[in-house]
Amino acid sequence: QVRLVESGGGSVQAGGSLRLSCSVSGYTGTDGIACMGWFRQAPGKEREAVAAIYHGGHSTYYADSVKGRFTISQERGKYTNYLQMRSLKPDDTAVYYCAAEEFCGTWFKEIDYGWWGQGTQVTVSP
Protein backbone atom coordinates (compact mmCIF):
# COMPACT_ATOMS: atom_id res chain seq x y z
CA GLN A 1 0.00 0.00 0.00
CA VAL A 2 2.81 2.39 -0.78
CA ARG A 3 1.47 5.58 -2.24
CA LEU A 4 3.30 8.28 -4.16
CA VAL A 5 1.65 11.65 -4.62
CA GLU A 6 2.95 14.39 -6.91
CA SER A 7 2.12 18.04 -6.50
CA GLY A 8 3.21 21.39 -7.85
CA GLY A 9 2.15 21.07 -11.45
CA GLY A 10 0.45 23.88 -13.27
CA SER A 11 0.59 26.23 -16.22
CA VAL A 12 3.38 28.71 -16.84
CA GLN A 13 4.75 30.71 -19.72
CA ALA A 14 8.03 29.84 -21.38
CA GLY A 15 10.94 30.88 -19.22
CA GLY A 16 9.04 30.38 -15.99
CA SER A 17 9.65 27.99 -13.12
CA LEU A 18 7.79 25.31 -11.23
CA ARG A 19 8.73 23.02 -8.38
CA LEU A 20 7.26 19.55 -8.30
CA SER A 21 7.06 17.53 -5.12
CA CYS A 22 6.76 13.80 -4.57
CA SER A 23 5.73 12.42 -1.21
CA VAL A 24 5.66 8.75 -0.24
CA SER A 25 3.34 7.27 2.35
CA GLY A 26 2.57 3.79 3.58
CA TYR A 27 6.08 2.39 3.33
CA THR A 28 6.76 -0.10 6.12
CA GLY A 29 9.74 -1.96 4.70
CA THR A 30 13.17 -2.13 6.25
CA ASP A 31 15.35 -1.92 3.16
CA GLY A 32 14.54 1.71 2.53
CA ILE A 33 13.55 3.50 -0.65
CA ALA A 34 16.92 4.14 -2.22
CA CYS A 35 15.93 5.31 -5.68
CA MET A 36 13.47 8.00 -6.70
CA GLY A 37 12.94 9.42 -10.13
CA TRP A 38 10.81 11.55 -12.39
CA PHE A 39 9.43 10.61 -15.78
CA ARG A 40 7.25 12.56 -18.15
CA GLN A 41 4.97 11.81 -21.05
CA ALA A 42 3.86 14.35 -23.61
CA PRO A 43 0.92 13.80 -25.96
CA GLY A 44 1.89 11.50 -28.79
CA LYS A 45 5.28 10.70 -27.30
CA GLU A 46 6.72 7.87 -25.26
CA ARG A 47 7.33 8.23 -21.57
CA GLU A 48 10.85 9.43 -20.89
CA ALA A 49 13.09 9.70 -17.88
CA VAL A 50 13.75 13.23 -16.64
CA ALA A 51 15.82 12.94 -13.48
CA ALA A 52 16.60 10.60 -10.62
CA ILE A 53 18.16 10.73 -7.19
CA TYR A 54 19.79 7.77 -5.51
CA HIS A 55 20.55 7.24 -1.83
CA GLY A 56 19.19 10.55 -0.65
CA GLY A 57 21.34 12.56 -3.03
CA HIS A 58 24.62 10.69 -3.27
CA SER A 59 23.93 10.33 -6.97
CA THR A 60 21.76 12.37 -9.31
CA TYR A 61 20.95 11.88 -12.96
CA TYR A 62 19.41 14.08 -15.63
CA ALA A 63 18.25 13.74 -19.18
CA ASP A 64 20.28 15.81 -21.61
CA SER A 65 17.19 17.83 -22.46
CA VAL A 66 16.89 19.21 -18.91
CA LYS A 67 20.49 19.44 -17.72
CA GLY A 68 21.25 22.88 -16.37
CA ARG A 69 17.57 23.73 -16.00
CA PHE A 70 16.15 21.09 -13.64
CA THR A 71 17.43 20.13 -10.20
CA ILE A 72 16.32 17.12 -8.18
CA SER A 73 16.73 17.03 -4.42
CA GLN A 74 15.52 15.02 -1.45
CA GLU A 75 14.68 15.80 2.15
CA ARG A 76 17.21 14.20 4.45
CA GLY A 77 15.85 11.09 6.07
CA LYS A 78 12.53 11.37 4.26
CA TYR A 79 10.99 9.85 1.19
CA THR A 80 10.14 13.24 -0.20
CA ASN A 81 11.83 14.74 -3.22
CA TYR A 82 11.56 17.86 -5.32
CA LEU A 83 12.11 18.64 -8.95
CA GLN A 84 12.92 22.31 -9.40
CA MET A 85 12.27 23.25 -13.00
CA ARG A 86 13.62 26.51 -14.38
CA SER A 87 13.70 28.12 -17.81
CA LEU A 88 10.76 26.00 -18.85
CA LYS A 89 10.11 25.43 -22.53
CA PRO A 90 6.95 24.42 -24.38
CA ASP A 91 8.61 21.06 -25.06
CA ASP A 92 8.57 20.45 -21.30
CA THR A 93 4.78 20.20 -21.42
CA ALA A 94 3.83 16.74 -20.20
CA VAL A 95 2.37 14.74 -17.38
CA TYR A 96 5.13 14.24 -14.85
CA TYR A 97 5.27 11.04 -12.83
CA CYS A 98 7.22 10.27 -9.69
CA ALA A 99 8.64 6.78 -9.25
CA ALA A 100 10.40 4.96 -6.43
CA GLU A 101 12.16 1.70 -5.75
CA GLU A 102 13.98 -0.01 -2.89
CA PHE A 103 16.60 -1.55 -5.14
CA CYS A 104 18.04 0.81 -7.69
CA GLY A 105 18.60 -0.36 -11.22
CA THR A 106 19.17 1.80 -14.26
CA TRP A 107 17.87 5.27 -13.52
CA PHE A 108 16.14 5.90 -16.84
CA LYS A 109 14.35 2.55 -17.20
CA GLU A 110 10.69 2.51 -16.21
CA ILE A 111 10.80 -1.20 -15.48
CA ASP A 112 13.35 -0.63 -12.72
CA TYR A 113 10.86 1.28 -10.55
CA GLY A 114 8.21 -0.54 -8.58
CA TRP A 115 6.04 2.31 -7.31
CA TRP A 116 4.50 5.14 -9.29
CA GLY A 117 2.43 8.20 -8.64
CA GLN A 118 -0.60 9.23 -10.66
CA GLY A 119 1.11 12.16 -12.32
CA THR A 120 0.80 15.92 -12.34
CA GLN A 121 0.26 18.07 -15.42
CA VAL A 122 2.82 20.66 -16.43
CA THR A 123 1.87 22.99 -19.24
CA VAL A 124 4.29 25.54 -20.67
CA SER A 125 2.83 28.05 -23.10
CA PRO A 126 4.91 29.83 -25.71
Side-chain angles (χ1 to χ4, degrees):
Q1 53 186 349
V2 172
R3 182 186 180 196
L4 278 64
V5 178
E6 303 97 335
S7 63
S11 299
V12 297
Q13 291 189 329
S17 299
L18 285 173
R19 189 177 76 155
L20 305 183
S21 299
C22 176
S23 297
V24 178
S25 63
Y27 179 72
T28 58
T30 57
D31 293 300
I33 298 175
C35 179
M36 303 188 75
W38 286 93
F39 291 72
R40 68 186 182 187
Q41 187 165 27
K45 300 185 69 176
E46 296 183 352
R47 188 171 299 186
E48 63 177 350
V50 177
I53 186 164
Y54 282 14
H55 304 289
H58 288 181
S59 299
T60 58
Y61 307 90
Y62 298 95
D64 287 342
S65 60
V66 306
K67 285 182 179 178
R69 299 188 298 120
F70 291 11
T71 303
I72 189 168
S73 60
Q74 186 171 343
E75 293 278 358
R76 183 182 179 184
K78 297 181 179 179
Y79 300 130
T80 300
N81 79 78
Y82 306 93
L83 184 67
Q84 179 67 55
M85 306 185 294
R86 293 171 278 104
S87 300
L88 284 162
K89 305 175 181 179
D91 284 349
D92 294 319
T93 295
V95 176
Y96 284 70
Y97 299 89
C98 180
E101 175 58 55
E102 292 174 302
F103 310 108
C104 302
T106 302
W107 77 270
F108 56 83
K109 291 185 175 181
E110 297 177 52
I111 196 171
D112 283 354
Y113 295 85
W115 295 304
W116 292 81
Q118 293 184 328
T120 185
Q121 177 71 47
V122 171
T123 302
V124 184
S125 60

